[in-house]
Amino acid sequence: MQINGAVALVSGGNRGLGEQFVQALLERGASKVYAAARNPDTITTPGVVRVALDVTDPASVRAAADLAQDVTLLINNAGSSTRAGLPDGDVDDFRLEMETHFFGTLAMSRAFAPSLARNGGGAVLNVLSVLSWLTFPGSAAYSAAKSAAWSLTNALRVQLAEQKTSVTGLYVGYMDTDMAAHVDGPKSNPATVAQAALDGVEAGRYEILADATTVNVRAALSGDLTALYPQLAAAL
């Protein structure tokens, strides 16, 4: 997969990491970039095709796929963060997170897979999170949805290999975006993350671990749960 000459669609392409993906794609010579958002008027990057897209709305997803039939790279970046936790988080917030991160990614991947196949296979990049593998009291809804999207990404990778479509998962901690504005502490530069992710897509990598926290958490998955949740050790 080469970014130069590619035709890409970025969901959530109006701000944050999505906007950085759009800019990086243009800088790397993508021949066309569809920047998608629920309100396309919020997309300000010049030189793109603006697309109205709500990944939780099946009709909107179908319309986007019908419009962008020349896509060779699909970046599933649209996200939500309700910060709903347990045990008293609003169930509707949990549903929204699942509709966005799991069902939205599923709908987009299924809708665009035929076009990717016709155009030679291409690639799908799913924006996931270190919270696919780890959860905190205030991130239960988000983490559950991202964990489901992680499993979906693995399933898509196997299934779409038959049509020569590569599927890459991007895993990252907090980034300096509006979504993480409430967080104190180190944050990655989304522009740097976007470039690293596109490097990984071009290299055909299955997973991209964008920061040290993500690398450490990924490595700890094979160990005892107390390595990720030290409070459990104290409770024994």
Side-chain angles (χ1 to χ4, degrees):
M1 179 71 210
Q2 295 298 313
I3 302 303
N4 185 38
V7 177
L9 184 141
V10 182
S11 64
N14 58 327
R15 60 179 181 149
L17 179 61
E19 184 177 38
Q20 295 302 322
F21 271 127
V22 169
Q23 293 178 358
L25 287 162
L26 292 171
E27 291 169 2
R28 288 177 174 233
S31 63
K32 184 190 295 185
V33 177
Y34 295 97
R38 283 176 293 180
N39 180 2
D41 290 339
T42 61
I43 299 167
T44 59
T45 305
V48 303
V49 180
R50 297 189 297 176
V51 179
L53 172 64
D54 179 351
V55 299
T56 69
D57 178 359
S60 180
V61 171
R62 286 194 299 271
D66 289 343
L67 172 69
Q69 295 189 35
D70 51 349
V71 160
T72 59
L73 171 60
L74 172 65
I75 300 181
N76 287 314
N77 168 76
S80 62
S81 179
T82 63
R83 295 161 64 183
L86 294 173
D88 55 355
D90 192 325
V91 173
D92 285 341
D93 287 340
F94 279 77
R95 290 195 176 99
L96 174 61
E97 299 283 15
M98 291 298 294
E99 287 290 343
T100 303
H101 298 290
F102 177 77
F103 289 108
T105 300
L106 174 62
M108 290 290 289
S109 300
R110 292 177 65 168
F112 279 89
S115 292
L116 291 170
R118 287 194 301 269
N119 298 328
V124 176
L125 172 63
N126 289 340
V127 177
L128 302 172
S129 171
V130 67
L131 295 180
S132 303
W133 304 319
L134 181 69
T135 189
F136 297 106
S139 70
Y142 183 87
S143 295
K146 284 296 191 182
S147 185
W150 169 39
S151 183
L152 173 63
T153 298
N154 289 335
L156 286 170
R157 182 178 298 118
V158 174
Q159 191 72 33
L160 296 186
E162 298 175 3
Q163 66 174 47
K164 301 188 184 303
T165 298
S166 64
V167 179
T168 299
L170 168 64
Y171 303 84
V172 61
Y174 292 123
M175 290 180 287
D176 190 11
T177 63
D178 291 344
M179 189 176 288
H182 66 286
V183 176
D184 293 325
K187 302 176 189 179
S188 297
N189 183 336
T192 302
V193 173
Q195 294 287 357
L198 295 180
D199 286 344
V201 169
E202 287 196 315
R205 292 171 57 189
Y206 296 137
E207 293 184 336
I208 299 161
L209 311 183
D211 54 38
T213 297
T214 305
V215 170
N216 292 336
V217 170
R218 182 70 171 85
L221 290 179
S222 60
D224 190 89
L225 276 179
T226 55
L228 293 176
Y229 303 101
Q231 65 268 39
L232 296 180
L236 292 177

